[in-house]
Amino acid sequence: MTNLKIGQAPRRREDTRFLTGSGRYIDDLAFDGLVYAVVVRSTHGHARINAVDISDAMKAPGVLAVLTGVDQAAAGIEPMPPYERANPHSGEAFSYPDQYPLAVDVARYGGQPVALVVAESQNQARDAAELVSVDYDAAPAITTIDVAREDPANYCLQWRTGDDTAVAAGMKAAAHVTSMLFHNHRIVTNPMEPRGGVGAFDPDSRRYTLTVSAQSIHNARDHIAVSLGVAPSDVRVVAEDVGGGFGSKNFMYAEQVLVLWAARVTGRQVKWINERSDGFVSDQQARDHTAMAELALDGEGRFLAFRLNGCGNLGAYLTGGMGRLHTDQFAALPGGPYIIPAIHLTVAAVYTNTVPIGVSRGPGYAESSNIIERLIDRAAAEMQLDRFELRRRNLASIAPYAHPMGLTIDSGAYLENFDAAVARACNEFENRQRDAESRGRRRGLGVVYHIKATFGVPVENVELTFGPDDHLTLVTGTQSIGQGHETTFPQILSDLLGVPFDQIRYCDGDTDLIPKGGGHGSSRATSMAGTAMYRAVQDIIAKGRRVAAHALEAAEADIEFHDGRFQVAGTDRDLDIMAVAKLARDAGEEGGRGLDTFHEYIREAHTFPNGCHIAEVEVDPETGTVALKRYTGADDYGTIINPMVIEGQVHGAIAQGVGQGLMERAVYEEGSGQLLSGSFMDYPMPRAADVPSFDLTFNEIACTTNPLGVKGSGEGGAIAGLPAIANAVLDALEPYGVTEIVGPATPENVWRAIQNAAGG
Amino acid sequence: MAKHHISTTINGEPVEFLCETQQTLLDVLRDELGLTGSKEGCASGDCGACSVTVDGRLVCSCLVLGVEAEGHSVETIEGMADGENLHPLQQKFLEEAALQCGICTPGFLIAAKSLLEKNNNPTETEVRYWLAGNLCRCTGYDKIIRSVLDVAADMRSA
């Protein structure tokens, strides 16, 4: 029964159930009277749907219902609304097609739900799904941004921001302008637990309950309700253990509406679990962004101006907050941590016949970081400057730093982190390089300074309740899907309130428990819920002081609170917080609420996690094979609650980032729109043998705009990984004259780049 | 279609079950026997989340039919701890937080246990290649690899 402090590393409470196979993931839960749903998905990237014939499927054994786009209209199902429908800066509405849970008349991407089959068993549902006959007229599919841009009707948004005049002046005054074309290739996030859910409908209360594998359930509830044509209060969303999300379980999905509708139709609880092959063509994918960017430098290599003309591929529909992603996150910190006095952006996003795009670790920042970091390496090569020195010269080493696009970065120690990472990564690099050369290989280093501004839902709330059994219960609208909040949040409270860790219970994952919630996204949970907890604790202490003063017959001003005790200053008379909570409850204080406290926090400032990452690769020029040999990071995630947990967060983000850099790419066939990389056999992800151990240090520069000083740690590596790998490979191949790698540094891409540079 | 009557041993206990011909061992474990610790991550043998051992051999239970378990001994994550006492690998994963969302963790533990039963002095490279059949999206593998190497060292000094 010990109190914990911020900065300690208690073992994760959730781990015992995970380690023994007792986790409660969606596919592990038992439900009464369960029936099973299978989604019939469009087999075409783009097609007119003439008819959906369900007559054979309806006759199949065990089938209870087959729902189609025609039934949808009769049932009053509405389109799934994007979460953000207008540019937050200009107010201009985004242009978007209606997206019904089931396709109506036209299928816009391969994998789009066309019908839902519900049967007594999963195999019966699968067999019947094969009997649904869809009459398609296939149409040409657009898969690339360049082709989509040829038709103005494909645009969701176009927006210009920044100072065009100043950029023009900077370009004119420059000693050198470096320009590059970019394509940040598309990835499939692939959390290891496929998406799934169970829908239920109570005819008496007319309420729906969705038990789901998702990561932002309040937001999902509100938008699922719109599609069902009911009020949010008529929908409850529950999530128990979630097997990873990384952004891909952030926004709502068609299947979530469908199982609820199917539950109403059948009067049964309806379960759907994606197979991995479903996930590849229905989980929101990520990245897929092109840009033309120019960086102007003076004769000493100081950055003068930056111009970027970018366009995102949204896939077939506008999903969740993607409109805002392009106009907010992507536009928030162009140029990253470097001082660039003049910046101008042209931002656009278009629709194609591909799986809708959503977010994945570091969205927006991953794209902008890749652009500036690769431009810097190219500029250094063109100007014959040292790329490390070029970065040092331009890093913003002042805090707070007012970024020209509007945000103020409260704190940071960029040069310190940069120098720390470089010192470790470069130590004896020449020796390793020589050794590699003696074996016919080439070594290279790629350096990146990542930064992001945490966004996500700007409101968070917590409820702290003192139970009669001497326990404190925390209910939060954030959600733990592997990040360890079940441990770190009670750890924070134990420190702030002096209540033993074991006496603090943690609850999340139920929209009926707390009115709002931002779930998990954009590394927001600890800064948002942490601030709400901190302020709730201040309220509790103030209330407790009044109660303790009365009980101890002292003046309120004489009551001190420390280590969980209210004490009359200068005496040994004190009361434990649990005793004070009981007194408050018994006395009916605060309208019977006692010390129980609800607090809602509305974001007052963004946080800016940042750091320097350096990849070291070894390339075999004969085969194009790239091996990641070392990965060094010096990161600032602000105050660290639990270093053991943070390390894991950073490791995972790095693996995802270098995965995109080394191997991952979603590939569509032009014309048909078929996803060619639709399984783990065609879409590689990093395995244990593909990555080294990581050399990380943390520089705890406390965030000044939240009381815990935290910044959020989930995304640095996913932002830095791609440019770090690309820059390292290009460094290794410098003697071959290779100046660009398009897509991941696969053996084929690297080998071709070497051959092309040789004039082959 | 008549179901098959299968006699097998699971986690040391004799178990009999009925299954259909097409049911995988993973389906049988999860749906018929209520052993939900083994997970389906891909159903194609690529992710290792469903790893179990059959007569000591590491397999993906999504690629084994339930009927193939006849007369064989299956070990799953549910049999790894000895009552309340975690297996040294489970204990080390707990101490090092070598897991995050936990969905792939049972597969890693089964695979790592299988490695250490064959080789209690693996190199880091051997551990990484042995565990390359298991995908994890959360951890970047670092703490998993360290934990397995640490347990191997503990086993050797015990």
Side-chain angles (χ1 to χ4, degrees), chain A residues 383-553:
Chain A
M383 295 178 74
Q384 296 182 317
L385 296 169
D386 178 81
R387 61 205 165 110
F388 294 94
E389 183 50 34
L390 186 55
R391 284 181 171 81
R392 283 193 104 260
R393 203 168 292 173
N394 290 283
L395 274 170
S397 55
I398 41 177
Y401 172 60
H403 191 279
M405 298 307 284
L407 292 181
T408 296
I409 301 169
D410 64 285
S411 59
Y414 306 154
L415 271 175
E416 205 177 300
N417 300 334
F418 184 83
D419 288 344
V422 169
R424 299 208 310 280
C426 293
N427 185 30
E428 301 190 348
F429 173 70
E430 286 79 9
N431 293 343
R432 296 192 295 276
Q433 196 174 30
R434 270 195 301 277
D435 171 66
E437 274 174 29
S438 73
R439 293 178 283 109
R441 310 285 169 88
R442 288 285 310 166
R443 285 236 173 181
L445 290 174
V447 59
V448 167
Y449 203 101
H450 69 82
I451 186 167
K452 77 163 289 182
T454 55
F455 273 78
V457 179
V459 182
E460 196 48 75
N461 50 193
V462 296
E463 171 93 40
L464 291 169
T465 313
F466 292 84
D469 57 349
D470 272 358
H471 275 76
L472 171 65
T473 298
L474 164 69
V475 181
T476 172
T478 57
Q479 199 187 340
S480 189
I481 55 166
Q483 297 87 352
H485 303 157
E486 200 171 325
T487 306
T488 53
F489 284 14
Q491 183 184 348
I492 291 168
L493 285 173
S494 182
D495 184 329
L496 298 180
L497 271 177
V499 172
F501 183 60
D502 294 342
Q503 281 172 250
I504 304 172
R505 297 186 178 128
Y506 171 92
C507 294
D508 69 7
D510 186 342
T511 58
D512 273 7
L513 285 180
I514 195 158
K516 295 181 182 172
H520 200 90
S522 200
S523 300
R524 68 183 286 286
T526 308
S527 64
M528 294 294 296
T531 301
M533 278 191 272
Y534 181 90
R535 293 187 179 172
V537 163
Q538 303 314 306
D539 286 353
I540 289 169
I541 292 170
K543 286 185 257 186
R545 191 174 270 133
R546 283 197 295 277
V547 174
H550 184 71
L552 295 168
E553 296 177 334

Side-chain angles (χ1 to χ4, degrees), chain A residues 211-376:
Chain A
T211 309
V212 68
S213 174
Q215 68 185 89
S216 186
I217 57 176
H218 284 80
N219 235 340
R221 172 197 65 187
D222 295 349
H223 295 90
I224 288 168
V226 171
S227 186
L228 288 170
V230 301
S233 57
D234 291 330
V235 180
R236 177 187 182 194
V237 182
V238 176
E240 296 207 30
D241 291 328
V242 174
F246 317 107
S248 71
K249 294 178 184 171
N250 199 331
F251 306 131
M252 73 170 292
Y253 279 93
E255 298 92 340
Q256 298 166 350
V257 178
L258 294 175
V259 291
L260 292 172
W261 172 28
R264 191 179 80 202
V265 170
T266 61
R268 305 282 291 274
Q269 303 203 70
V270 180
K271 177 175 179 175
W272 134 82
I273 301 289
N274 259 3
E275 296 192 26
R276 182 61 59 182
S277 52
D278 289 306
F280 268 101
V281 294
S282 69
D283 289 2
Q284 291 147 17
Q285 301 180 350
R287 313 291 192 253
D288 204 343
H289 183 269
T290 61
M292 167 72 194
E294 301 162 88
L295 179 66
L297 306 91
D298 72 11
E300 275 76 51
R302 277 182 201 85
F303 302 160
L304 299 176
F306 177 59
R307 182 187 285 140
L308 192 163
N309 187 341
C311 185
N313 185 345
L314 292 166
Y317 292 98
L318 185 59
T319 297
M322 287 310 295
R324 186 163 195 148
L325 191 280
H326 284 280
T327 49
D328 232 348
Q329 285 94 322
F330 175 70
L333 298 173
Y338 305 100
I339 293 177
I340 310 179
I343 296 178
H344 186 264
L345 307 179
T346 304
V347 176
V350 292
Y351 298 106
T352 61
N353 298 114
T354 57
V355 175
I357 288 280
V359 289
S360 189
R361 280 186 143 164
Y365 305 99
E367 290 88 333
S368 58
S369 177
N370 183 56
I371 290 166
I372 190 65
E373 293 294 346
R374 292 173 76 171
L375 266 175
I376 293 173

Side-chain angles (χ1 to χ4, degrees), chain A residues 14-244:
Chain A
E14 46 271 73
D15 284 353
T16 303
R17 68 176 185 273
F18 296 156
L19 288 162
T20 54
S22 314
R24 290 175 55 79
Y25 305 92
I26 183 68
D27 200 22
D28 303 336
L29 304 178
F31 293 84
D32 290 333
L34 206 54
V35 294
Y36 299 84
V38 166
V39 181
V40 177
R41 300 183 182 280
S42 171
T43 52
H44 294 276
H46 187 199
R48 169 150 291 281
I49 298 172
N50 297 317
V52 181
D53 182 352
I54 63 168
S55 52
D56 288 346
M58 283 299 289
K59 284 181 255 168
V63 169
L64 298 166
V66 181
L67 306 177
T68 68
V70 174
D71 307 322
Q72 182 173 253
I77 303 294
E78 301 286 333
M80 301 186 289
Y83 293 10
E84 303 285 347
R85 296 182 281 280
N87 183 327
H89 301 285
S90 70
E92 195 178 354
F94 301 136
S95 171
Y96 57 90
D98 280 343
Q99 182 184 14
Y100 284 90
L102 292 175
V104 181
D105 300 333
V106 61
R108 292 176 187 270
Y109 68 94
Q112 183 170 1
V114 174
L116 188 80
V117 177
V118 184
E120 292 283 353
S121 80
Q122 186 148 33
N123 280 337
Q124 286 173 332
R126 282 183 186 137
D127 288 345
E130 303 259 313
L131 299 174
V132 174
S133 173
V134 186
D135 178 11
Y136 294 106
D137 277 341
I142 295 171
T143 59
T144 66
I145 294 168
D146 288 348
V147 174
R149 293 189 86 161
E150 290 169 6
D151 183 351
N154 292 328
Y155 277 82
C156 165
L157 66 97
Q158 290 190 81
W159 180 51
R160 294 160 63 80
T161 181
D163 190 340
D164 206 8
T165 310
V167 167
M171 294 283 169
K172 199 170 172 197
H176 184 80
V177 176
T178 290
S179 61
M180 280 179 82
L181 280 171
F182 294 89
H183 181 220
N184 196 308
H185 55 276
R186 180 183 287 234
I187 55 174
V188 186
T189 300
N190 275 324
M192 292 317 301
E193 181 202 29
R195 288 186 302 111
V198 174
F201 177 70
D202 176 14
D204 295 330
S205 65
R206 310 292 296 169
R207 276 195 103 206
Y208 295 89
T209 299
L210 175 70
T211 309
V212 68
S213 174
Q215 68 185 89
S216 186
I217 57 176
H218 284 80
N219 235 340
R221 172 197 65 187
D222 295 349
H223 295 90
I224 288 168
V226 171
S227 186
L228 288 170
V230 301
S233 57
D234 291 330
V235 180
R236 177 187 182 194
V237 182
V238 176
E240 296 207 30
D241 291 328
V242 174

